[in-house]
Amino acid sequence: MHAIRNGLGAFASVAVLLTGIAVAAEVRAAPTPVDEPPVTAPAAEEPENFGASCHTVVQGSHVTAHCRNPYPETDRVRLHVECERWWDVDSDSAPVDVGPAAHAQVTGRCWKEVRSAWVTHQPADRPADQALRPAP
């Protein structure tokens, strides 16, 4: 009986030793933060500090966009209104320049219900034929 206890103790000791070696090998194999390449943000074409903050209000068939520009560059905004009825004409407003620290109000409407409305932004110094970017 004494030999069995000693045999189990030896077996348990060997199992603990092998487990410790396996854990140490895993820890050693894990990459350190120094080994990882540095993460860089992709270069943006436009500065991040651009674009008036706009919110739209729909009241019946009328839509109003209130835009405030907290940035130093002028933002050219347009309101786009999509109407619910198939026969109701969707509309796009004329471009409105919102200067630095300025506020603009742009309106649009449908004959009946409004399906959706959104505002697009474009730097004022960019030609009008370039694509507009939708609001965030």
Side-chain angles (χ1 to χ4, degrees):
M1 186 75 156
H2 218 324
I4 293 176
R5 275 193 242 151
N6 287 341
L8 287 177
F11 179 74
S13 297
V14 170
V16 169
L17 180 64
L18 291 177
T19 304
I21 291 171
V23 169
E26 287 292 323
V27 169
R28 197 172 309 125
T32 62
V34 177
D35 295 341
E36 296 177 5
V39 178
T40 57
E45 292 180 15
E46 296 180 27
E48 289 185 24
N49 294 334
F50 170 78
S53 173
C54 300
H55 70 278
T56 57
V57 177
V58 178
Q59 293 177 329
S61 62
H62 296 273
V63 180
T64 305
H66 300 276
C67 298
R68 187 183 68 80
N69 186 5
Y71 299 112
E73 293 184 25
T74 301
D75 184 13
R76 183 170 289 142
V77 297
R78 291 182 73 177
L79 174 64
H80 307 275
V81 179
E82 185 176 337
C83 302
E84 183 68 38
R85 309 288 176 130
W86 65 269
W87 47 262
D88 206 345
V89 180
D90 299 341
S91 64
D92 299 323
S93 74
V96 176
D97 287 347
V98 185
H103 176 269
Q105 183 173 316
V106 187
T107 60
R109 68 178 302 255
C110 294
W111 284 102
K112 289 282 189 172
E113 300 88 9
V114 174
R115 177 180 294 170
S116 63
W118 66 95
V119 176
T120 55
H121 302 264
Q122 173 186 17
D125 59 351
R126 182 175 292 171
D129 61 344
Q130 290 189 1
L132 299 173
R133 67 175 180 86

